[in-house]
Amino acid sequence: MRPLVRSKLVLVFALLLNVQTKAQGIAVRLEVDLRDAPRRVYHSRMEFPVKPGPLTLVYPKWIPGEHSPNGPIVDVTGVQFRGNGQEISWRRDDMDLYAFHCTIPAGVTIMEAALDYLLPKEDGIAGSPSATAQVAVLPWNLVVLYPEGAKTDDVMFSASIRVPSGWKFATALNTVSASSADSATFETISLTRLVDSPLLAGAFFKTYDISPGQKPEHRLNIAADSAIATSLSKDQLSDLRQLVAETGTLFGARHYRHYDFMLALSDHLPPNGLEHHESSDNRGPEKMLLDPDSLEGLMDLLPHEFFHSWNGKYRRPVGLATRDYQTPMKGDLLWVYEGLTQYYGVILAARSGFWKPEQLREYLAATAAALNDGRPGRTWRDLQDTAISVSLLYGAREAGASWRRPVDYYDESTLIWLEADATIRRESKGQKSLDDFCRQFHGTEDGAIKVVPYRFEDVVALMNAIAPYDWKKFFEERLHSHGPGAPLAGLENSGWKVSYSDEMNEHQRAAEQTDGIVDLSFSLGFSAHAAGEDINSIADVIPSSPAAKAGIAPGMKLVAVNGRKWSPDWLRVAIRDAKNTKEPIRLLLENDDYYQTFELDYHGGERYPHLESLHSTDVLGEIAKHRAPAIAR
Ligand SMILES: [Zn+2]
């Protein structure tokens, strides 16, 4: 789709520029002005050391951690190049819309480049919001250009920032000078490290020391839409300190100079997390730290992103360890990059005290049930394909998810790595565990901030060294399985099985509260929006469920249940009532401009998943116990 080599001249020039930049310590100067962040504009100005002749600058396309070609080029505006006070004209490449060609006139040694990045207010095809009236997150890739063909490790940047008056900010970059409280200049660093160190700014800002008196330092920086939302309870602080201790015990090495959790709390930013070596960009609802239901669903967010510093940033699949931001990424090993992280994210959430053992079990029950009973899509799409298709699936809509399959390499890999953990423990007669794999795979070269790529064979070889077993077959069978059902042996080998009752699953209940959803996946076979923009609409229908058999499809709108205006409560009443009768449940739905009543012949009552103990040996409980000395509370 895009030419990889344009002309020899351009490539040679780009390489010249880079060599000169790195060897002579000349850096691209970058000034970012966030003062218009509340108006959703970031202003950027760059100065490139140049030589006369053709030059191509590119805008980052494949963003690390996003595994997708989603650099939001559509919102890059006001692009202007100048040299010696004169405008230098540019032309966008006809094939690669991320590339800007220009010719540097004789006598010009510094080229100024300016651009404005317009932030979207809603999540969509153009990208994700990063600023609100009171908070701004700056992933630097939004506001930079760099020479085409250059390795991002080789292009040095010297960045400075200006934020709205009275705002505070934090980044993992070291500050070299600060002329006022609203501005700072950071260390000269490679483009790779710059993009790997987002900045968080806000009017309501608080920083917590979460490893007091220790080196390296760990901080939690919170910017929120209100002051109250930045408060952390004593217990939450202790859990975070325990999390830092647990990772020390688990890995025995760290790959950062200091670590900064960035936490942006706003109802105007979609919940998200993006990993970096020395920090993480975490986003949640404004009341995340204040509301137990909100926190329940996001308990593993900080442990997950923190674990990525080792798994994803330090150790990275070879297909994701690209030389620049224009080279396509390959997602085939995301079941390790994201899957192992998802597993340890929840295990570390439990080991650190964020989740009690019963909360972990409810989470695993909901996850396993959704994958086992809610994924007919596995008959056509194996787990491996969900990883290979990552750049399609991140943007896929929820409608049809059970048949399409979403990014299952997160949750299904949790079950697979749990099984791997239980298998190592069994094969080694309790002498070894998956923790030993992590220690040897991620716990080398303490202090090194670098990428050590790996292949499938490397994972298999180390697993064999930890506990001899046919690991190649183990992983391949699970990656290429078409079912029936999800890989549940890990749960069973660790002492648990999924069973159903009419009592609500606690994790599902919290998710329903925060997401405004009613989830009847395991009874009627659909979920629907009970609040928010899509209120009343059917989110998804599981093929061959009672709802699907009756003819209900995603996108239709719920109007009434058994003749009465629908609500989550009345739906549940109808399900309970139908248990003792032969009458169908009648749902009135709106499909475009037409109304239709659908009859659901279902009499099984409410069904919610839980974990039921199989025997007295609780391997899962053992895995989830804290390993580091307990932090005093
Ligand atoms: Zn992740």
Side-chain angles (χ1 to χ4, degrees), residues 324-404:
D324 58 32
Y325 306 135
Q326 314 312 116
T327 305
M329 294 176 183
K330 282 191 227 166
D332 60 335
L333 283 170
L334 280 168
W335 57 274
V336 186
Y337 181 120
E338 292 295 358
L340 184 66
T341 304
Q342 187 72 9
Y343 174 66
Y344 267 102
V346 299
I347 294 303
L348 285 172
R351 285 183 187 172
S352 309
F354 291 101
W355 264 342
K356 298 196 167 40
E358 55 274 22
Q359 285 174 297
L360 172 68
R361 289 199 296 270
E362 288 286 86
Y363 165 84
L364 287 172
T367 302
L371 291 163
N372 195 56
D373 296 344
R375 281 292 185 278
R378 75 174 63 250
T379 56
W380 75 270
R381 172 174 248 163
D382 64 18
L383 186 67
Q384 177 69 84
D385 189 60
T386 69
I388 290 172
S389 310
V390 51
S391 57
L392 300 175
L393 292 179
Y394 271 146
R397 58 190 189 278
E398 64 186 343
S402 57
W403 180 234
R404 182 190 304 108

Side-chain angles (χ1 to χ4, degrees), residues 65 67 273 275 304-305 308 337-338 341-342 394 410:
H67 328 303
E275 60 276 14
H304 177 109
E305 301 306 335
H308 266 317
Y337 181 120
E338 292 295 358
T341 304
Q342 187 72 9
Y394 271 146
Y410 284 84

